[in-house]
Amino acid sequence: AWCNTCYHTALLLSTSPGAVLCPSPGSEGKGEGTRRVLTVLLSASVRSRREELYRWYGHSVQARSEMHLTAFLAMAAKVKLPPNYRFGTNRPWTVAAKRRNPPGKMRRKVFVEPITFDDWQYFRGDTVEVLFGKDTGKQGTVSQVIRARNWVIVEGLNTHYRYIGKTGDYRGTYVASEAPLLHNQVSLVDPTDRKPTVIEWRYTEDGERVRVSVRTGRIIPKPLYQRPDGIIPEQWIDGPKDTSVDDTLEKTYEPSLKTFEEEIMEKMGIVETRRPRKSFWY
């Protein structure tokens, strides 16, 4: 069944009469409760059950049967977040994020300053100086950016300590965690004099959009892209067990219309005048 408002998918797991409920919290127009998708009088016949579902949405059985499987799977796999979802340092689909945002929990709304995608200034790998908190004046590298909350996490700065893995007879491990900072609580460091500076987005003569220091006029290049494991592809040096680009692009196979057996016989110098009977595959 499909939810007529948020397009969530609901599975019919029972053959008894009942209601199919949408898994997304929030009712139509109210933002709370659970949205009722439809009430279906399930019958023993699968065909009549399908017709009742389609008749509810005003579509014919033929129109719904032509729905592409890829679109259906994409619709079911898309992460749907409730209206009052509060973003944190964990990805929304992780266990830690689900533990902080349990279903049905209403949390205070957090107001975030709207910043367009083109006006965002900080990227992972930038060198910034902290302007707020206990580490004011210290410089570090941005290790994580959370644009949904205008947060940046600086490696090794603005840390707090906590216990993890606590059990009944074990107090846990005491570890340090970096707390996020707002985008206006840090400033980019000018590579000319290693001091914080205000930047502007400008265009070069070639039409490239770059960050420019207002104080010195120096271009502050964006950091190179880092993979999730921290490797920068442009700076990677092949090791003894890595396959080089030349070896990858080397052409070592010549396609032919001969069968595998005929290629082996030709390479071994075996002459065979007989030909197998033609076979046809349907």
Side-chain angles (χ1 to χ4, degrees):
W2 288 268
C3 176
N4 56 354
T5 302
C6 70
Y7 297 101
H8 261 102
T9 57
L11 299 179
L12 303 179
L13 301 179
S14 175
T15 57
S16 59
V20 182
L21 299 181
C22 176
S24 172
S27 60
E28 299 179 15
K30 297 182 179 180
E32 57 184 6
T34 305
R35 186 185 300 115
R36 180 181 296 271
V37 181
L38 71 161
T39 302
V40 186
L41 297 178
L42 299 177
S43 58
S45 173
V46 178
R47 180 177 178 181
S48 62
R49 194 183 318 165
R50 291 176 55 199
E51 291 178 354
E52 290 173 2
L53 284 172
Y54 299 145
R55 193 160 53 245
W56 174 274
Y57 292 102
H59 298 282
S60 62
V61 179
Q62 181 179 2
R64 276 297 185 180
S65 61
E66 294 176 355
M67 187 179 196
H68 295 292
L69 178 60
T70 54
F72 174 76
L73 294 177
M75 178 178 60
K78 187 176 181 181
V79 178
K80 292 289 185 178
L81 301 177
N84 296 328
Y85 181 83
R86 180 179 292 185
F87 286 89
T89 56
N90 301 297
R91 307 299 185 193
W93 53 85
T94 58
V95 177
K98 294 179 181 179
R99 191 184 301 115
R100 285 184 170 271
N101 294 272
K105 183 178 181 179
M106 302 297 295
R107 306 184 67 177
R108 181 177 57 85
K109 183 177 179 57
V110 178
F111 295 93
V112 181
E113 178 185 354
I115 300 178
T116 61
F117 184 82
D118 294 333
D119 293 339
W120 184 260
Q121 301 178 357
Y122 305 101
F123 302 94
R124 183 183 177 189
D126 278 330
T127 301
V128 297
E129 183 171 319
V130 180
L131 307 178
F132 176 83
K134 61 180 182 180
D135 292 327
T136 302
K138 296 183 180 180
Q139 298 181 2
T141 304
V142 176
S143 61
Q144 188 177 356
V145 175
I146 305 173
R147 297 193 182 185
R149 295 286 297 271
N150 293 343
W151 281 349
V152 293
I153 296 179
V154 184
E155 184 177 355
L157 298 181
N158 195 35
T159 58
H160 63 277
Y161 295 87
R162 58 194 177 94
Y163 286 97
I164 61 173
K166 187 179 298 185
T167 59
D169 55 349
Y170 178 62
R171 65 178 184 177
T173 305
Y174 199 55
V175 297
S177 300
E178 294 95 351
L181 293 164
L182 286 173
H183 71 102
N184 54 10
Q185 295 175 347
V186 296
S187 179
L188 275 174
V189 173
D190 193 331
T192 304
D193 52 8
R194 305 294 298 177
K195 294 182 179 180
T197 180
V198 180
I199 70 160
E200 289 182 354
W201 285 100
R202 299 177 184 176
Y203 289 91
T204 62
E205 297 178 354
D206 299 333
E208 183 183 1
R209 194 165 182 264
V210 295
R211 300 178 297 181
V212 179
S213 172
V214 176
R215 187 179 68 252
T216 62
R218 167 81 180 262
I219 295 178
I220 303 179
K222 293 172 62 176
L224 296 176
Y225 168 74
Q226 295 185 16
R227 297 190 328 195
D229 55 1
I231 294 177
I232 301 177
E234 290 81 359
Q235 299 178 355
W236 178 259
I237 300 177
D238 290 337
K241 295 186 178 181
D242 292 325
T243 304
S244 63
V245 179
D246 297 336
D247 293 340
T248 305
L249 298 178
E250 182 182 359
K251 189 176 181 181
T252 59
Y253 175 73
E254 294 290 341
S256 64
L257 297 178
K258 297 180 180 180
T259 62
F260 177 74
E261 291 80 4
E262 292 175 348
E263 291 181 356
I264 297 296
M265 292 169 59
E266 181 181 0
K267 184 170 294 187
M268 298 181 64
I270 301 175
V271 178
E272 178 61 66
T273 57
R274 298 173 298 175
R275 289 292 177 265
R277 187 176 60 179
K278 289 185 178 181
S279 60
F280 301 92
W281 297 89
Y282 297 98

